[in-house]
Structure formats: C-alpha cells, structure tokens
Amino acid sequence: MKLCMIGTGYVGLVSGVCFADLGNDVICVDKNNEKIEKLKKGIIPIYEPGLEELVKKNFKNKKLFFSSNLQESINKSDIIFICVGTPTKKNSGEADLSQVYDVAKEIKKSSSRFKIIITKSTVPVTTGDKIEKILSKKKSKKLFSVVSNPEFLREGEAIRDFSYPDRIVIGTNDLRSNRILKNLYMPLISKGAKYINTSRRAAELIKYASNAFLATKITFINEIANLCEKTNINVEDISIGMGLDKRIGSRFLRAGPAYGGSCFPKDTKAITKTADDFKINLTLIKSVIKSNENRSLLLLKRVFRILNGKVKNKKICFLGVTFKANTDDMRDSSSLIMIPSLIKRGAIINYYDPTGKKQELNKYKNVSFSKDIKSAISKADLIIIHTEWNDFKSINFKSIMKKKRFIIYDMRNIYSRMKMKKDNIKYYGVGG
Ligand code: UDX
C-alpha cells in the first residue's frame, strides 16, 4: 500500500520505517528540509536502538522515501498518517492541536482520490470530528475517511513495540477503511497482535486512558515505596507480591524517580483538561499528576538526609540523566529538577550518560560530564543511580572508588541490598 507519514518525529519515523519494512511504499514527510536531507543520508534525528539500520535498509530497497513536499506526497498516497506533535500548551495543560489542524487544511487542498486520513498523534477525544469538519468544507465525505489509530510505542523499545504490539486499535465506523487497515496490519495480526475496531472517539480515549492508567500504576507503587521506607520493607517484595496477581500484573509496577518523558506528563494533563471541558472532574488522575510533581522533591529530601544535611561541596555523581534508560530524551526528566536544586545547595555535580553530554545541563556551573563510568564515580561522595541502563548493573564499586567512604543512592533498585551490605557499602534504594 502507498502510505504517507506526516511528521518525522518519534511516532512518524518509527511507524513509517516499520511499515516500509512490512513491504509498503512509505513517504515520510517533514517541513524541516534539513531533517529530510539528513534522513536521506541515513542520519537519524533521534536515538532509538535498531532504527538507523532499518532506515538505511528500506531507503536502499526503495520502500522508504523522504520528502518535504507535502502536497505531492499526499497526492501519491492512499493512507495518510498524521504524526505531528501535540505538545502541552503553556499554562493550560491542554494539548496544542495547531499542527494537526494545519495538516488537515493541507490535505483538504489535495487530489480527489479516496484517502484514509489517520491520526496517529495523541489527540483528545473529538479531534477526529474536527478534522472531518475541516475536510468536509470542500470535499464530499465519500472521498476521505478520518480514522484514529493510536500508537503505543515506548522510546528505546519502539521497533519491538511496533512489530509485536499487544493490540492494534482502529477507531472508525467506516467498513471500507476498517477492511483496508486490517489488511495493512495483517502481518502483525498473524503474529498474534489483537486487532480491535472501535468508534473513533473511543480509540482517541483508549490512548489517553492507557497512558493515564500506567502513570497511575507507577505513582501508586511510588507512594507505597514511601511507606516502605518508613516501615523497613523492601518495595521490590511488594511489586513482586502484587504483580503475581494476574489482575494486577507486574509491569509498570517498579518504584523509582518521578515518571517523565514526552508522553505521561503531557497526556495526564491533557486528559484532565479534556474532561474539565466536558465538566467531568478526573480527580484520581489530577492527584497522580500532583504526586508525581512532588516526587522529585521527596527524593531530594532523602538525598539531604543521606548526606546528613551537609550538601555543600559534596561531590555527587549521577549515573544517567535521561528520563529512563535506552533513550537520549531529557524531556521531563527528574534529573532536571534534582541537579539544579543540589547545585543551589553547593553540591558539585558530575554525570555520566551512555547517550553523552546533555545541552540542558550545560548552563549550570559546577556540573560536569565524564566520558566513562569509572572517571565519573571514582571521586564521588555520593553516587545516584538515576536510570536503569544495563551499563550500570554490574559496576565493581569497590575496585573503582578512590575514597574509602562513599554512598550509593540507587533510585532504580538495580542492586541487591544484601550484597551491598555484605560488601560493606553504604547503600540506599528506593522504598526500603
Ligand atoms: C510511554 C508509553 O509506555 C507508550 O505506550 C506511549 O505510547 C508513549 O509513552 P515512554 O514515554 O517511551 O512510553 O516511556 P515508558 O517506558 O512508558 O516510561 C515512562 C516513565 O515511567 C519513565 O520515566 C519510566 O522511568 C517510568 N517508569 C516506567 C517507572 O518509573 N516504573 C515502571 O515500572 C515503568
């Protein structure tokens, strides 16, 4: 099939490449010409394991094309995926849909052949209705079908998540579009992915409700971890004990720093704003947002306690500064709250991240980047394990550390408390 992905951000690029790999002809379009020229040369704008190889392979095989000519790309395609950003509007928490509507206006100008227009960007309930309204102003309804097909890709696992999804959600009442899209996804359905067809509004809400639920699950275990710390219980035992109940499940039940990234903070705010507009108060999700916003301060307080309140001139090393492992993404990372606050109190910060130096931290005095784990941690008074990269999971601290007395605060609970105790290392985990 001939597909056009509008927007070569995370969603558009990953989905486009994966669709091409399934044998479709895919044009990835972006108004940023520089980005398009780089992509043609195999230079990938995002960090995602496996993506570069797949882009190069499908570009070479002429299944994947890059263009900044939107009209031409739309005209050549049967299915148009809208994959542009829907960032949070400043001060309101609402999703900014201007890019989505701009694309809809461009589609309106295009040729008269039947096309399926799909929102893959995360968009609030009723956005599909509004896109349909924009398109209907000039065109006959029979010439297009507006469908919602949300993505559930995790950064760092995106190709795997695309290739082996738990479910594919298609929101449309149009039988023809449903048949065509089922066919498009057949290679994944035949490998075991569940395909569900819902109303368009339901599909839009499934995406927000899923992310809000996962954010709630994480926040739940984070709050239980707070109780564990006071009662000398290891929260990891709680996660295992709860997770084995099939009704609960063990995934997204790991305590840690505040959740971050490009989706959970944005989508939790947007769903409460949409609900407010419909005069529905989503109090639970609002409380999750608040709890998560407080979490970085809570973990900082623990740092102060661990250092007996003496933060000034302490050498603190962060292992990992992104919002989670296997990504270079700093968006809403809790390190961006913790590091500035620690410097304010006189700490000297050094960090190592497998994805390199971060421009977000360049502006701070007393923050430096080390090129490897050894030089990052060897002189530290306190090592904070902030993300769960495999690189951090088997460090021989005893042989690397120059100081006799150093402390580890493992915010991802990747080390065994028992083993640390046996090795005589002062160690703190999250929740226990
Ligand atoms: C998320 C959703 O998982 C994905 O389906 C959606 O489409 C995009 O948003 P992503 O933002 O890449 O994906 O990250 P994810 O792996 O979900 O983690 C989000 C945050 O939750 C991270 O800060 C992570 O560290 C945290 N997290 C996750 C926990 O603290 N504990 C867990 O058990 C799981």
Side-chain angles (χ1 to χ4, degrees):
M1 271 182 239
K2 292 192 188 315
L3 317 182
C4 170
M5 317 300 293
I6 304 179
T8 56
Y10 213 85
V11 176
L13 188 57
V14 173
S15 313
V17 174
C18 291
F19 275 130
D21 207 51
L22 292 177
N24 300 287
D25 296 314
V26 181
I27 313 175
C28 286
V29 193
D30 204 292
K31 57 184 175 191
N32 182 340
N33 199 34
E34 199 187 319
K35 201 172 177 186
I36 289 297
E37 288 311 312
K38 281 188 175 163
L39 280 164
K40 285 180 184 167
K41 290 181 192 138
I43 303 167
I44 314 295
I46 52 173
Y47 175 92
E48 182 61 38
L51 186 61
E52 189 178 325
E53 294 82 340
L54 221 53
V55 168
K56 285 183 176 159
K57 176 185 148 197
N58 286 287
F59 186 68
K60 197 170 148 228
N61 291 348
K62 298 201 175 351
K63 294 309 277 175
L64 181 66
F65 302 88
F66 296 104
S67 171
S68 45
N69 189 332
L70 186 57
Q71 276 310 317
E72 190 185 82
S73 308
I74 292 171
N75 285 337
K76 280 184 184 166
S77 310
D78 308 311
I79 306 177
I80 321 284
F81 286 90
I82 302 178
C83 308
V84 294
T86 53
T88 307
K89 272 189 192 167
K90 269 192 189 133
N91 305 325
S92 75
E94 190 182 351
D96 178 354
L97 298 172
S98 53
Q99 295 185 63
V100 173
Y101 296 139
D102 285 350
V103 169
K105 285 172 199 154
E106 285 297 323
I107 296 172
K108 195 171 79 173
K109 294 181 201 158
S110 74
S111 71
S112 50
R113 198 154 46 89
F114 174 78
K115 290 183 197 307
I116 302 178
I117 321 293
I118 301 182
T119 47
K120 234 190 194 322
S121 306
T122 303
V123 292
V125 178
T126 69
T127 303
D129 304 5
K130 286 169 195 150
I131 295 175
E132 198 169 80
K133 222 174 186 178
I134 293 174
L135 293 174
S136 335
K137 278 193 184 147
K138 250 194 178 168
K139 289 191 185 302
S140 138
K141 266 199 170 183
K142 284 185 190 140
L143 283 179
F144 62 85
S145 164
V146 179
V147 177
S148 166
N149 169 216
E151 58 76 26
F152 303 98
L153 311 176
R154 285 166 301 163
E155 293 185 19
E157 310 276 347
I159 292 169
R160 201 208 144 273
D161 283 351
F162 182 94
S163 310
Y164 301 97
D166 291 335
R167 79 303 206 185
I168 294 152
V169 179
I170 299 293
T172 180
N173 295 328
D174 178 46
L175 294 176
R176 180 179 177 189
S177 302
N178 187 30
R179 185 175 35 78
I180 294 171
L181 292 173
K182 195 166 186 181
N183 203 19
L184 174 69
Y185 278 109
M186 197 44 83
L188 309 184
I189 299 167
S190 55
K191 276 192 294 183
K194 294 266 184 309
Y195 179 93
I196 63 161
N197 176 214
T198 64
S199 71
R200 189 169 59 210
R201 287 184 178 187
E204 289 169 340
L205 189 55
I206 284 171
K207 171 66 196 258
Y208 277 108
S210 300
N211 275 357
F213 184 80
L214 291 170
T216 305
K217 203 173 172 189
I218 296 166
T219 305
F220 179 89
I221 200 67
N222 282 342
E223 290 204 351
I224 295 294
N226 298 341
L227 176 61
C228 289
E229 276 167 26
K230 290 278 182 211
T231 47
N232 204 16
I233 294 169
N234 186 343
V235 72
E236 294 298 306
D237 290 340
I238 307 300
S239 295
I240 295 168
M242 284 178 66
L244 284 171
D245 183 330
K246 288 202 177 75
R247 293 169 301 174
I248 298 173
S250 59
R251 296 175 73 194
F252 282 69
L253 206 55
R254 301 224 42 206
Y259 62 74
S262 64
C263 289
F264 287 178
K266 168 174 82 73
D267 294 350
T268 43
K269 281 182 200 133
I271 193 176
T272 58
K273 179 67 181 61
T274 303
D276 283 345
D277 292 345
F278 285 97
K279 308 229 171 331
I280 293 297
N281 191 3
L282 295 180
T283 55
L284 177 62
I285 304 173
K286 283 181 183 168
S287 142
V288 165
I289 296 169
K290 216 169 177 184
S291 174
N292 194 60
E293 283 171 356
N294 284 337
R295 183 139 188 92
S296 297
L297 301 178
L298 216 79
L299 264 60
L300 267 172
K301 276 191 191 156
R302 186 129 192 252
V303 172
F304 302 149
R305 279 202 305 278
I306 288 171
L307 293 172
N308 291 323
K310 293 175 190 138
V311 181
K312 202 166 172 31
N313 293 328
K314 282 283 182 320
K315 292 192 173 93
I316 302 179
C317 168
F318 271 72
L319 286 180
V321 287
T322 52
F323 80 95
K324 65 169 190 178
N326 302 318
T327 179
D328 64 349
D329 201 335
M330 291 292 286
R331 281 176 288 180
D332 272 308
S333 173
S334 57
S335 70
L336 291 175
I337 294 177
M338 290 195 255
I339 291 177
S341 173
L342 289 166
I343 317 168
K344 235 185 189 168
R345 292 194 169 226
I348 301 156
I349 308 282
N350 184 28
Y351 72 96
Y352 168 74
D353 193 284
T355 58
K357 201 172 173 186
K358 301 293 162 210
Q359 57 146 40
E360 290 83 351
L361 296 172
N362 283 350
K363 60 179 176 225
Y364 298 112
K365 250 201 214 166
N366 284 340
V367 176
S368 57
F369 170 73
S370 290
K371 286 201 171 112
D372 56 73
I373 297 175
K374 195 174 169 186
S375 54
I377 65 171
S378 63
K379 291 181 191 152
D381 298 300
L382 171 66
I383 299 160
I384 293 181
I385 302 175
H386 179 260
T387 54
E388 68 283 31
W389 284 87
N390 280 341
D391 315 40
F392 305 153
K393 288 182 181 163
S394 43
I395 301 171
N396 189 343
F397 291 100
K398 278 252 150 138
S399 73
I400 294 177
M401 298 307 289
K402 295 220 162 94
K403 294 193 171 177
K404 265 210 170 133
R405 285 212 260 174
F406 64 93
I407 308 170
I408 298 172
Y409 183 14
D410 179 0
M411 292 185 177
R412 300 285 178 171
N413 290 342
I414 58 182
Y415 284 91
S416 143
R417 284 153 213 236
M418 298 280 273
K419 171 94 173 44
M420 285 289 170
K421 204 170 173 188
K422 227 169 101 197
D423 290 349
N424 227 356
I425 294 175
K426 208 163 180 199
Y427 172 90
Y428 298 86
V430 160

